[in-house]
Amino acid sequence: MRLAFMGSPDFAVPALRALHAAGHEIAAVYAQPPRPAGRGQRETPCPVHRAALELGLPVRTPARLRRDAAEHAAFAALDLDVAVVAAYGLILPPAMLDAPRRGCLNIHASLLPRWRGAAPIQAAILHGDAESGITIMRMEEGLDTGPMLLREAVPLGPRATTPGLHDALAALGARLILRALAEWPDPEPQPVEGITYAARLAKADGKLDWTDSAVALDRRVRALNPWPGTYCALDGEALRVLAAAPATLPAGTAPPVPGTVLDAAGLVATGEGALRLLRLQRPGRAPLDADAFLRGTKLPPGTVLG
């Protein structure tokens, strides 16, 4: 099948490699433009761009699509059967959605209609969902509103993290898009009940609010690392909290002020229960397990974290 692949981050790479290995004719790969990265701020291609070059595939990196008539014409000239989209990062205008003979299929990292939008993997963990999954949907103008061809669930264990779920869903998405292209199941409209949205994340979302419950804080740490990262204030600095776990307050403890350090091993009072800090990082320093961190940075009981 003659197709274009449109994606940018690591999540999309397994699908691109699977389509190539399956023998599909990939007429073009679309990816976000190279951007400055690293200490030298060198222009760096995104993961999909790099993978496409390794596979010898032509790459296009338009900065925008919505009103670019020349880009619309170039896309139509590819004479595609279908376009496959996975976390591309640009909105496809109607002229491009309608150009392939069989439309555009999106590999979406949730069980639609739950968690439409930009951050479905993080949202599933942040809200304590029992499962996540992949939906292969036919794209239309609305945000993740199109009819579904395939859905498959992945259970979420009590210690699920964004990196682990990301990798599981990336592999599942690669498998399901091959099946969708082989079988072309009849699309089904999304249910009108249970629609939720996962907004784009910002750095401020990582600030820990110690008045939240220990369970909610633990979910936030597992959901938002490595990006945007979770943090609290210590001595006027942002202390990154890379791993943590809920714990019970010591027996007989009067309800302490949330954010109060309760012992020498990094137990912190929350709005409900306590949170055990497991891995931490100060600005400009290496990440450390809590025991190693606390040998060099004292958090005496009674310290109040911001």
Side-chain angles (χ1 to χ4, degrees):
M1 187 168 293
R2 183 172 171 84
L3 61 86
F5 185 85
M6 313 179 86
S8 296
D10 287 318
F11 175 81
V13 171
L16 173 61
R17 293 191 182 279
L19 290 164
H20 182 265
H24 289 285
E25 182 186 359
I26 302 176
V29 172
Y30 281 72
Q32 289 277 318
R35 291 192 168 91
R39 290 187 178 180
Q41 292 293 286
R42 296 178 59 183
E43 292 287 312
T44 303
C46 68
V48 164
H49 190 161
R50 296 196 299 270
L53 294 179
E54 291 174 14
L55 297 172
L57 299 172
V59 181
R60 297 181 67 89
T61 58
R64 59 189 59 85
L65 294 174
R66 191 183 294 271
R67 295 181 178 86
D68 192 334
E71 197 63 55
H72 303 171
F75 187 73
L78 293 173
D79 190 32
L80 303 172
D81 295 311
V82 65
V84 173
V85 182
Y88 177 34
L90 292 179
I91 296 174
L92 302 190
M96 296 181 75
L97 290 172
D98 296 339
R101 283 179 283 277
R102 306 196 75 164
C104 300
L105 300 185
N106 180 242
I107 305 171
H108 186 75
S110 81
L111 298 174
L112 291 171
R114 187 159 178 80
W115 303 130
R116 296 174 177 175
I121 294 175
Q122 294 90 338
I125 296 173
L126 192 60
H127 290 80
D129 290 3
E131 61 180 10
S132 180
I134 288 289
T135 303
I136 306 296
M137 55 162 283
R138 191 173 67 202
M139 297 175 69
E140 54 186 32
E141 287 189 66
L143 177 63
D144 300 327
T145 59
M148 306 176 297
L149 280 71
L150 292 171
R151 292 166 89 242
E152 187 169 323
V154 170
L156 296 185
R159 306 304 302 159
T161 65
T162 283
L165 181 57
H166 170 282
D167 291 353
L169 294 184
L172 176 58
R175 178 165 60 81
L176 285 190
I177 193 61
L178 292 183
R179 181 180 158 200
L181 295 181
E183 299 177 5
W184 281 101
D186 292 334
E188 298 180 2
Q190 293 185 35
V192 295
E193 301 85 13
I195 297 171
T196 54
Y197 290 90
R200 190 176 302 278
L201 294 169
K203 184 67 176 177
D205 293 316
K207 179 69 167 66
L208 297 178
D209 181 349
W210 295 109
T211 64
D212 288 344
S213 71
V215 169
L217 289 165
D218 168 54
R219 289 174 182 166
R220 186 165 294 273
V221 172
R222 290 186 286 111
L224 301 190
N225 279 304
W227 196 91
T230 47
Y231 61 95
C232 62
L234 173 65
D235 298 333
E237 294 182 337
L239 174 64
R240 289 198 65 187
V241 179
L242 304 175
T248 56
L249 289 170
T253 302
V257 174
T260 301
V261 177
L262 300 175
D263 65 18
L267 185 68
V268 183
T270 73
E272 182 180 338
L275 192 72
R276 177 70 68 187
L277 305 180
L278 299 177
R279 191 164 175 82
L280 300 162
Q281 183 180 18
R282 296 194 79 157
R285 307 286 184 85
L288 294 171
D289 290 340
D291 57 350
F293 180 90
L294 294 170
R295 284 196 294 270
T297 301
K298 302 302 181 185
L299 285 181
T303 301
V304 178
L305 301 175

